[in-house]
Coordinates of all heavy atoms in Angstrom, one line a residue:
M1 N 252.8 56.1 44.9 CA 252.2 56.0 43.5 C 253.2 56.7 42.6 O 253.6 57.9 42.8 CB 250.8 56.7 43.5 CG 250.1 56.4 42.2 SD 248.5 57.2 42.1 CE 247.5 56.1 43.1
E2 N 253.5 56.1 41.5 CA 254.4 56.7 40.5 C 253.7 57.7 39.7 O 252.5 57.7 39.6 CB 255.0 55.6 39.6 CG 256.0 54.7 40.4 CD 256.6 53.7 39.4 OE1 256.9 54.0 38.3 OE2 256.8 52.6 39.8
T3 N 254.5 58.5 39.0 CA 254.0 59.6 38.1 C 253.1 58.9 37.0 O 252.1 59.5 36.7 CB 255.1 60.4 37.5 OG1 255.8 61.0 38.6 CG2 254.5 61.5 36.7
S4 N 253.6 57.8 36.5 CA 252.9 57.2 35.4 C 251.5 56.7 35.8 O 250.6 56.6 35.0 CB 253.7 56.1 34.8 OG 253.9 55.1 35.7
E5 N 251.4 56.4 37.1 CA 250.1 55.9 37.6 C 249.1 57.0 37.9 O 247.9 56.9 37.9 CB 250.3 55.1 38.9 CG 251.1 53.8 38.7 CD 251.5 53.1 40.0 OE1 251.4 53.7 41.0 OE2 251.9 52.0 39.9
K6 N 249.7 58.2 38.1 CA 248.8 59.4 38.4 C 248.3 60.0 37.1 O 247.3 60.8 37.2 CB 249.7 60.5 39.2 CG 250.1 60.1 40.5 CD 250.9 61.1 41.2 CE 251.4 60.7 42.5 NZ 252.2 61.8 43.1
F7 N 248.9 59.8 36.0 CA 248.6 60.4 34.8 C 247.1 60.3 34.4 O 246.5 61.2 34.0 CB 249.5 60.0 33.6 CG 249.2 60.7 32.4 CD1 249.6 62.0 32.2 CD2 248.6 60.1 31.3 CE1 249.4 62.7 31.0 CE2 248.3 60.7 30.1 CZ 248.7 62.1 30.0
P8 N 246.6 59.1 34.4 CA 245.2 58.9 34.0 C 244.2 59.7 34.8 O 243.3 60.3 34.3 CB 244.9 57.4 34.1 CG 246.2 56.8 34.0 CD 247.2 57.7 34.6
A9 N 244.4 59.7 36.2 CA 243.5 60.5 37.0 C 243.7 62.0 36.8 O 242.7 62.7 36.8 CB 243.9 60.2 38.5
L10 N 244.9 62.5 36.6 CA 245.1 63.9 36.3 C 244.5 64.3 34.9 O 243.9 65.3 34.8 CB 246.6 64.2 36.3 CG 247.3 64.2 37.6 CD1 248.8 64.4 37.4 CD2 246.7 65.3 38.5
Y11 N 244.6 63.4 34.0 CA 244.0 63.6 32.7 C 242.5 63.8 32.8 O 241.9 64.7 32.2 CB 244.4 62.5 31.7 CG 243.8 62.8 30.3 CD1 244.5 63.7 29.4 CD2 242.7 62.2 29.8 CE1 244.0 63.9 28.2 CE2 242.2 62.5 28.5 CZ 242.9 63.3 27.7 OH 242.4 63.6 26.5
R12 N 241.8 62.9 33.5 CA 240.4 63.0 33.7 C 240.0 64.3 34.4 O 239.0 64.9 34.1 CB 239.9 61.8 34.5 CG 239.8 60.5 33.7 CD 239.0 59.4 34.4 NE 239.8 58.9 35.5 CZ 240.7 58.0 35.4 NH1 241.1 57.5 34.2 NH2 241.4 57.5 36.5
L13 N 240.8 64.8 35.4 CA 240.5 66.0 36.0 C 240.7 67.2 35.0 O 239.9 68.1 35.0 CB 241.4 66.3 37.2 CG 241.2 65.4 38.4 CD1 242.3 65.6 39.4 CD2 239.9 65.6 39.0
W14 N 241.7 67.1 34.2 CA 242.0 68.2 33.2 C 240.9 68.2 32.2 O 240.6 69.3 31.7 CB 243.3 68.0 32.6 CG 243.6 68.8 31.5 CD1 244.1 70.1 31.5 CD2 243.6 68.5 30.1 NE1 244.2 70.6 30.2 CE2 243.9 69.6 29.3 CE3 243.2 67.3 29.4 CZ2 243.9 69.5 27.9 CZ3 243.2 67.3 28.1 CH2 243.6 68.4 27.3
W15 N 240.4 67.1 31.8 CA 239.4 67.0 30.7 C 238.2 67.9 30.9 O 237.7 68.5 30.0 CB 239.1 65.6 30.3 CG 238.2 65.5 29.1 CD1 236.9 65.2 29.0 CD2 238.7 65.8 27.8 NE1 236.5 65.3 27.7 CE2 237.6 65.7 26.9 CE3 239.9 66.2 27.2 CZ2 237.6 65.9 25.6 CZ3 240.0 66.4 25.9 CH2 238.8 66.3 25.0
G16 N 237.7 67.9 32.1 CA 236.5 68.7 32.5 C 236.8 70.2 32.2 O 236.0 70.9 31.7
V17 N 238.0 70.6 32.6 CA 238.4 72.0 32.4 C 238.5 72.3 30.9 O 238.0 73.3 30.4 CB 239.7 72.3 33.1 CG1 240.3 73.7 32.8 CG2 239.6 72.1 34.6
E18 N 239.1 71.4 30.2 CA 239.3 71.6 28.7 C 238.0 71.6 28.0 O 237.8 72.4 27.1 CB 240.2 70.5 28.2 CG 240.5 70.6 26.7 CD 241.4 71.8 26.4 OE1 242.1 72.3 27.3 OE2 241.3 72.3 25.3
S19 N 237.1 70.8 28.4 CA 235.7 70.7 27.8 C 235.0 72.0 28.1 O 234.3 72.6 27.2 CB 234.9 69.6 28.3 OG 235.5 68.4 28.0
K20 N 235.1 72.5 29.3 CA 234.4 73.8 29.6 C 235.0 75.0 28.8 O 234.3 75.8 28.3 CB 234.5 74.1 31.1 CG 233.8 75.3 31.6 CD 232.3 75.2 31.4 CE 231.6 76.4 32.1 NZ 230.2 76.3 32.0
Y21 N 236.3 75.0 28.7 CA 237.0 76.0 27.9 C 236.5 76.0 26.4 O 236.2 77.0 25.8 CB 238.5 75.9 28.0 CG 239.2 76.9 27.1 CD1 239.2 78.3 27.4 CD2 239.8 76.5 25.9 CE1 239.8 79.2 26.6 CE2 240.4 77.5 25.1 CZ 240.4 78.8 25.5 OH 241.1 79.7 24.7
R22 N 236.4 74.8 25.9 CA 236.0 74.6 24.5 C 234.6 75.1 24.3 O 234.3 75.8 23.3 CB 236.1 73.1 24.1 CG 235.7 72.9 22.6 CD 235.8 71.4 22.2 NE 235.2 70.5 23.2 CZ 234.0 70.1 23.3 NH1 233.1 70.6 22.5 NH2 233.6 69.3 24.2
K23 N 233.7 74.8 25.2 CA 232.3 75.3 25.1 C 232.3 76.8 25.2 O 231.6 77.5 24.4 CB 231.5 74.7 26.2 CG 231.1 73.3 26.1 CD 230.3 72.8 27.2 CE 230.0 71.4 27.2 NZ 229.3 70.9 28.4
L24 N 233.1 77.4 26.1 CA 233.1 78.8 26.2 C 233.6 79.5 25.0 O 233.1 80.5 24.5 CB 233.9 79.3 27.4 CG 233.3 79.0 28.8 CD1 234.3 79.2 29.9 CD2 232.0 79.8 29.0
K25 N 234.7 78.9 24.4 CA 235.3 79.5 23.3 C 234.5 79.4 22.0 O 234.3 80.3 21.3 CB 236.7 78.8 23.0 CG 237.5 79.3 21.9 CD 238.8 78.5 21.8 CE 239.1 78.3 20.4 NZ 240.2 77.4 20.2
N26 N 233.9 78.2 21.8 CA 233.1 78.0 20.6 C 231.7 78.5 20.6 O 231.2 79.0 19.7 CB 233.2 76.5 20.2 CG 234.6 76.1 19.8 OD1 235.4 76.9 19.3 ND2 234.9 74.8 20.1
R27 N 231.0 78.2 21.7 CA 229.6 78.6 21.8 C 229.4 80.0 22.2 O 228.5 80.7 21.7 CB 228.9 77.6 22.7 CG 228.8 76.2 22.2 CD 228.0 75.4 23.1 NE 227.9 74.0 22.7 CZ 227.5 73.0 23.4 NH1 227.0 73.2 24.6 NH2 227.5 71.8 22.9
R28 N 230.1 80.5 23.2 CA 229.9 81.8 23.7 C 230.9 82.8 23.1 O 230.8 84.0 23.4 CB 230.1 81.8 25.2 CG 229.0 81.0 26.0 CD 227.6 81.6 25.8 NE 227.6 83.0 26.2 CZ 226.8 83.9 25.6 NH1 226.0 83.5 24.7 NH2 226.8 85.1 26.0
E29 N 231.8 82.3 22.3 CA 232.8 83.2 21.5 C 233.5 84.1 22.5 O 233.5 85.3 22.3 CB 232.1 83.9 20.4 CG 231.5 82.9 19.4 CD 230.7 83.7 18.3 OE1 230.6 84.9 18.3 OE2 230.3 83.0 17.3
T30 N 234.0 83.6 23.6 CA 234.7 84.4 24.6 C 236.0 85.0 24.1 O 236.6 85.8 24.8 CB 234.9 83.7 25.9 OG1 235.6 82.5 25.6 CG2 233.6 83.4 26.6
E31 N 236.5 84.6 22.9 CA 237.7 85.2 22.4 C 237.4 86.2 21.3 O 238.4 86.9 20.9 CB 238.6 84.1 21.8 CG 239.1 83.1 22.9 CD 240.0 82.1 22.3 OE1 240.0 81.9 21.1 OE2 240.7 81.4 23.1
D32 N 236.2 86.4 20.9 CA 235.8 87.4 20.0 C 235.1 88.6 20.7 O 233.9 88.4 21.0 CB 234.9 86.8 18.9 CG 235.6 85.7 18.1 OD1 236.8 85.8 17.9 OD2 234.9 84.8 17.6
F33 N 235.8 89.7 20.9 CA 235.2 90.8 21.6 C 234.7 91.9 20.7 O 235.2 92.0 19.6 CB 236.2 91.3 22.7 CG 236.6 90.3 23.7 CD1 237.9 89.7 23.6 CD2 235.8 89.9 24.7 CE1 238.3 88.7 24.5 CE2 236.1 88.9 25.6 CZ 237.4 88.3 25.5
N34 N 233.7 92.6 21.1 CA 233.2 93.7 20.3 C 233.9 95.0 20.6 O 233.5 96.0 20.0 CB 231.7 93.8 20.6 CG 230.9 92.6 20.2 OD1 231.2 92.0 19.2 ND2 230.0 92.2 21.0
S35 N 234.9 95.1 21.4 CA 235.5 96.3 21.8 C 237.0 96.1 21.9 O 237.5 94.9 21.9 CB 235.0 96.8 23.1 OG 235.6 98.0 23.5
V36 N 237.8 97.2 21.9 CA 239.2 97.1 22.1 C 239.6 97.6 23.5 O 240.8 97.5 23.9 CB 240.0 97.8 21.0 CG1 239.8 97.1 19.7 CG2 239.6 99.3 20.9
K37 N 238.7 98.3 24.2 CA 239.0 98.8 25.5 C 239.0 97.7 26.5 O 238.1 96.9 26.6 CB 237.9 99.9 25.9 CG 237.9 101.1 25.0 CD 236.8 102.0 25.5 CE 236.8 103.3 24.6 NZ 235.8 104.2 25.1
P38 N 240.1 97.7 27.3 CA 240.2 96.7 28.4 C 239.0 96.5 29.3 O 238.6 95.4 29.6 CB 241.4 97.1 29.1 CG 242.2 97.9 28.2 CD 241.2 98.6 27.3
V39 N 238.4 97.6 29.7 CA 237.3 97.5 30.6 C 236.1 96.9 29.9 O 235.4 96.1 30.5 CB 236.9 98.9 31.2 CG1 236.3 99.9 30.1 CG2 236.0 98.8 32.4
S40 N 235.9 97.2 28.6 CA 234.8 96.6 27.9 C 235.0 95.1 27.6 O 234.1 94.3 27.7 CB 234.6 97.3 26.5 OG 234.2 98.7 26.8
I41 N 236.2 94.7 27.4 CA 236.6 93.3 27.2 C 236.3 92.5 28.4 O 235.8 91.5 28.4 CB 238.0 93.2 26.7 CG1 238.2 93.7 25.3 CG2 238.5 91.7 26.7 CD1 239.6 93.8 24.7
R42 N 236.8 93.1 29.6 CA 236.5 92.4 30.9 C 235.0 92.3 31.1 O 234.6 91.2 31.6 CB 237.2 93.2 32.0 CG 238.6 92.9 32.2 CD 239.1 93.4 33.5 NE 239.1 94.8 33.7 CZ 240.0 95.7 33.2 NH1 241.1 95.2 32.6 NH2 239.9 97.0 33.4
Q43 N 234.2 93.3 30.8 CA 232.8 93.2 31.0 C 232.2 92.1 30.2 O 231.3 91.4 30.6 CB 232.1 94.6 30.7 CG 232.4 95.6 31.8 CD 231.8 97.0 31.4 OE1 231.5 97.2 30.2 NE2 231.7 97.9 32.4
E44 N 232.6 92.1 28.9 CA 232.1 91.0 28.0 C 232.4 89.6 28.5 O 231.6 88.7 28.5 CB 232.6 91.2 26.6 CG 231.9 92.3 25.8 CD 232.4 92.3 24.4 OE1 232.3 91.2 23.7 OE2 232.8 93.4 23.9
F45 N 233.7 89.5 29.0 CA 234.2 88.2 29.4 C 233.4 87.8 30.7 O 232.9 86.6 30.7 CB 235.7 88.3 29.7 CG 236.2 87.0 30.3 CD1 236.5 85.9 29.5 CD2 236.5 86.9 31.7 CE1 237.0 84.8 30.1 CE2 236.9 85.8 32.2 CZ 237.2 84.7 31.4
F46 N 233.3 88.7 31.6 CA 232.6 88.3 32.9 C 231.1 88.1 32.7 O 230.5 87.2 33.3 CB 232.9 89.3 34.0 CG 234.2 89.2 34.6 CD1 235.1 90.2 34.5 CD2 234.7 88.0 35.1 CE1 236.4 90.1 35.0 CE2 236.0 87.9 35.6 CZ 236.8 88.9 35.5
A47 N 230.5 88.8 31.7 CA 229.1 88.5 31.4 C 228.9 87.2 30.8 O 228.0 86.4 31.1 CB 228.6 89.6 30.4
A48 N 229.9 86.8 29.9 CA 229.8 85.4 29.3 C 230.0 84.3 30.4 O 229.3 83.3 30.4 CB 230.9 85.3 28.3
M49 N 230.9 84.6 31.4 CA 231.1 83.6 32.5 C 229.9 83.5 33.4 O 229.5 82.4 33.7 CB 232.3 84.1 33.4 CG 233.7 84.1 32.7 SD 234.2 82.4 32.2 CE 233.9 82.6 30.5
Y50 N 229.3 84.7 33.6 CA 228.1 84.7 34.5 C 227.0 83.9 33.8 O 226.3 83.1 34.4 CB 227.6 86.1 34.7 CG 226.3 86.2 35.5 CD1 226.4 86.1 36.9 CD2 225.1 86.5 34.9 CE1 225.2 86.2 37.6 CE2 224.0 86.6 35.6 CZ 224.0 86.4 36.9 OH 222.8 86.5 37.6
F51 N 226.8 84.2 32.5 CA 225.7 83.5 31.7 C 226.0 82.0 31.7 O 225.1 81.2 31.9 CB 225.6 84.1 30.3 CG 224.5 83.4 29.5 CD1 223.2 83.6 29.8 CD2 224.9 82.5 28.5 CE1 222.2 83.0 29.0 CE2 223.9 81.9 27.7 CZ 222.6 82.1 28.0
S52 N 227.2 81.6 31.5 CA 227.6 80.2 31.4 C 227.3 79.5 32.7 O 226.8 78.4 32.7 CB 229.0 80.0 31.0 OG 229.4 78.7 31.0
N53 N 227.7 80.1 33.8 CA 227.5 79.5 35.1 C 226.0 79.4 35.5 O 225.6 78.4 36.0 CB 228.3 80.3 36.2 CG 229.8 80.1 36.1 OD1 230.2 79.0 35.6 ND2 230.5 81.1 36.5
L54 N 225.3 80.5 35.1 CA 223.8 80.5 35.4 C 223.2 79.3 34.6 O 222.3 78.6 35.1 CB 223.2 81.8 35.0 CG 221.7 82.0 35.2 CD1 221.4 81.8 36.7 CD2 221.3 83.3 34.7
A55 N 223.6 79.2 33.3 CA 223.0 78.1 32.5 C 223.3 76.7 33.1 O 222.5 75.8 33.1 CB 223.5 78.2 31.1
A56 N 224.5 76.6 33.6 CA 225.0 75.3 34.2 C 224.1 75.0 35.5 O 223.8 73.9 35.8 CB 226.4 75.3 34.6
I57 N 223.9 76.0 36.3 CA 223.1 75.9 37.5 C 221.6 75.5 37.1 O 221.1 74.5 37.7 CB 223.1 77.2 38.3 CG1 224.4 77.4 39.0 CG2 222.0 77.1 39.4 CD1 224.6 78.7 39.6
I58 N 221.1 76.1 36.2 CA 219.7 75.8 35.7 C 219.6 74.4 35.2 O 218.7 73.6 35.5 CB 219.2 76.8 34.7 CG1 219.0 78.2 35.4 CG2 217.9 76.4 34.0 CD1 218.8 79.3 34.4
K59 N 220.6 74.0 34.4 CA 220.7 72.6 33.9 C 220.8 71.6 35.0 O 220.1 70.5 35.0 CB 221.8 72.4 32.9 CG 221.9 71.0 32.3 CD 223.1 70.8 31.5 CE 223.2 69.4 30.9 NZ 222.8 68.3 31.6
S60 N 221.6 71.9 36.0 CA 221.8 71.0 37.1 C 220.5 70.8 37.9 O 220.1 69.6 38.2 CB 222.9 71.5 38.0 OG 223.0 70.7 39.2
E61 N 219.8 71.8 38.1 CA 218.5 71.8 38.8 C 217.5 71.0 37.9 O 216.7 70.2 38.4 CB 217.9 73.1 39.1 CG 218.7 73.8 40.2 CD 218.3 75.2 40.5 OE1 217.3 75.7 39.8 OE2 218.9 75.9 41.3
A62 N 217.5 71.2 36.6 CA 216.6 70.5 35.7 C 216.9 69.0 35.7 O 216.0 68.1 35.7 CB 216.6 71.0 34.3
D63 N 218.2 68.7 35.7 CA 218.6 67.3 35.8 C 218.2 66.6 37.0 O 217.7 65.4 37.0 CB 220.1 67.1 35.6 CG 220.6 67.4 34.2 OD1 219.8 67.3 33.3 OD2 221.8 67.6 34.0
Q64 N 218.2 67.3 38.2 CA 217.8 66.7 39.4 C 216.3 66.5 39.4 O 215.8 65.5 39.9 CB 218.1 67.7 40.6 CG 219.6 67.7 40.9 CD 220.0 68.8 41.9 OE1 219.1 69.4 42.5 NE2 221.2 68.9 42.2
M65 N 215.5 67.4 38.8 CA 214.1 67.2 38.7 C 213.7 66.0 37.8 O 212.8 65.2 38.2 CB 213.4 68.5 38.2 CG 213.4 69.6 39.2 SD 213.0 71.2 38.5 CE 211.4 70.9 37.8
V66 N 214.4 65.9 36.7 CA 214.2 64.7 35.9 C 214.5 63.4 36.6 O 213.8 62.4 36.5 CB 215.0 64.9 34.5 CG1 215.0 63.6 33.7 CG2 214.5 66.0 33.7
A67 N 215.7 63.4 37.3 CA 216.1 62.2 38.0 C 215.1 61.8 39.1 O 214.9 60.6 39.4 CB 217.5 62.4 38.6
A68 N 214.5 62.8 39.7 CA 213.6 62.6 40.8 C 212.2 62.1 40.3 O 211.4 61.5 41.1 CB 213.4 63.8 41.6
S69 N 211.9 62.3 39.1 CA 210.6 61.9 38.6 C 210.5 60.4 38.5 O 211.5 59.7 38.0 CB 210.3 62.5 37.2 OG 211.2 62.1 36.3
A70 N 209.5 59.8 38.9 CA 209.3 58.4 39.0 C 208.8 57.8 37.7 O 208.2 58.5 36.9 CB 208.3 58.0 40.1
G71 N 209.2 56.6 37.4 CA 208.6 55.9 36.3 C 209.4 56.0 35.0 O 209.0 55.6 34.0
N72 N 210.6 56.5 35.1 CA 211.4 56.6 33.9 C 212.1 55.3 33.6 O 212.8 54.7 34.5 CB 212.5 57.7 34.0 CG 211.9 59.1 34.0 OD1 210.9 59.3 33.4 ND2 212.7 60.0 34.5
K73 N 212.0 54.8 32.4 CA 212.6 53.5 32.0 C 214.1 53.7 31.8 O 214.9 52.9 32.1 CB 211.9 53.0 30.7 CG 212.5 51.7 30.3 CD 211.7 51.2 29.1 CE 212.3 49.9 28.6 NZ 211.6 49.4 27.4
H74 N 214.5 54.9 31.3 CA 215.9 55.2 31.0 C 216.3 56.4 31.8 O 215.5 57.2 32.3 CB 216.1 55.5 29.5 CG 215.6 54.3 28.6 ND1 216.3 53.2 28.5 CD2 214.5 54.2 27.9 CE1 215.7 52.3 27.7 NE2 214.6 52.9 27.3
D75 N 217.6 56.6 31.9 CA 218.2 57.8 32.5 C 218.1 58.9 31.5 O 218.5 58.8 30.3 CB 219.7 57.6 32.9 CG 219.8 56.6 34.0 OD1 218.8 56.5 34.8 OD2 220.9 56.0 34.2
Y76 N 217.6 60.1 31.9 CA 217.5 61.2 31.0 C 218.2 62.4 31.6 O 218.5 62.4 32.8 CB 216.0 61.6 30.9 CG 215.1 60.6 30.2 CD1 214.4 59.7 30.9 CD2 215.1 60.6 28.8 CE1 213.6 58.8 30.2 CE2 214.3 59.7 28.1 CZ 213.6 58.8 28.8 OH 212.8 57.9 28.1
Q77 N 218.5 63.3 30.8 CA 219.1 64.6 31.3 C 218.7 65.7 30.3 O 218.3 65.5 29.2 CB 220.6 64.6 31.4 CG 221.4 64.4 30.0 CD 222.9 64.5 30.3 OE1 223.3 64.5 31.4 NE2 223.6 64.4 29.2
S78 N 218.7 66.9 30.8 CA 218.3 68.1 30.0 C 219.4 68.5 29.1 O 220.5 68.2 29.3 CB 217.9 69.2 30.9 OG 219.0 69.6 31.7
N79 N 219.0 69.1 28.0 CA 220.0 69.6 27.0 C 220.4 71.0 27.5 O 219.7 71.8 28.0 CB 219.4 69.7 25.6 CG 219.2 68.3 25.0 OD1 219.8 67.4 25.3 ND2 218.2 68.3 24.1
L80 N 221.7 71.3 27.2 CA 222.2 72.6 27.5 C 222.6 73.3 26.1 O 223.6 72.9 25.5 CB 223.5 72.5 28.4 CG 224.1 73.8 28.7 CD1 223.1 74.7 29.5 CD2 225.3 73.6 29.6
I81 N 221.8 74.2 25.7 CA 222.0 74.9 24.5 C 222.2 76.4 24.8 O 221.2 77.0 25.3 CB 220.8 74.7 23.5 CG1 220.6 73.3 23.2 CG2 221.0 75.5 22.3 CD1 219.4 72.9 22.4
Y82 N 223.3 76.9 24.5 CA 223.6 78.3 24.7 C 224.6 78.8 23.8 O 225.3 78.2 23.1 CB 224.0 78.6 26.2 CG 225.2 77.9 26.7 CD1 226.5 78.5 26.5 CD2 225.1 76.7 27.3 CE1 227.6 77.9 27.0 CE2 226.2 76.1 27.8 CZ 227.5 76.7 27.6 OH 228.6 76.0 28.1

């Protein structure tokens, strides 16, 4: 497979990472820290990562519950607001 044929697949893989970074940067403001001390910045960063991952797990479980419910005419998913 040539490099030009791999590009679309690589772009799709990269897009998920880029979307997650955008959410973390804009919604959780992971680039705006309340301290200048390295240890405090790391704590804020890891707290934001923990919260983001926890919210993603809860959303995934909610989506599974919605998908398992019978009688839905359309496909539904839960909203992720954080």
Side-chain angles (χ1 to χ4, degrees):
M1 186 180 286
E2 291 185 35
T3 304
S4 61
E5 295 171 347
K6 293 178 183 177
F7 183 75
L10 289 174
Y11 184 79
R12 282 190 291 279
L13 291 173
W14 170 80
W15 187 250
V17 173
E18 184 66 24
S19 297
K20 183 67 172 179
Y21 176 74
R22 180 179 46 85
K23 286 180 187 176
L24 289 172
K25 182 177 140 187
N26 294 330
R27 292 185 183 169
R28 295 295 307 145
E29 299 176 356
T30 54
E31 293 182 344
D32 298 328
F33 299 106
N34 295 321
S35 179
V36 293
K37 294 181 180 180
V39 70
S40 298
I41 291 172
R42 276 194 297 276
Q43 287 175 345
E44 283 186 53
F45 176 78
F46 286 119
M49 294 297 105
Y50 177 79
F51 180 73
S52 175
N53 289 333
L54 182 61
I57 290 169
I58 292 170
K59 181 188 182 318
S60 176
E61 290 176 359
D63 286 342
Q64 290 175 3
M65 290 169 55
V66 168
S69 62
N72 289 338
K73 183 177 176 181
H74 302 286
D75 291 334
Y76 294 98
Q77 68 177 5
S78 59
N79 289 333
L80 181 60
I81 300 172
Y82 58 89

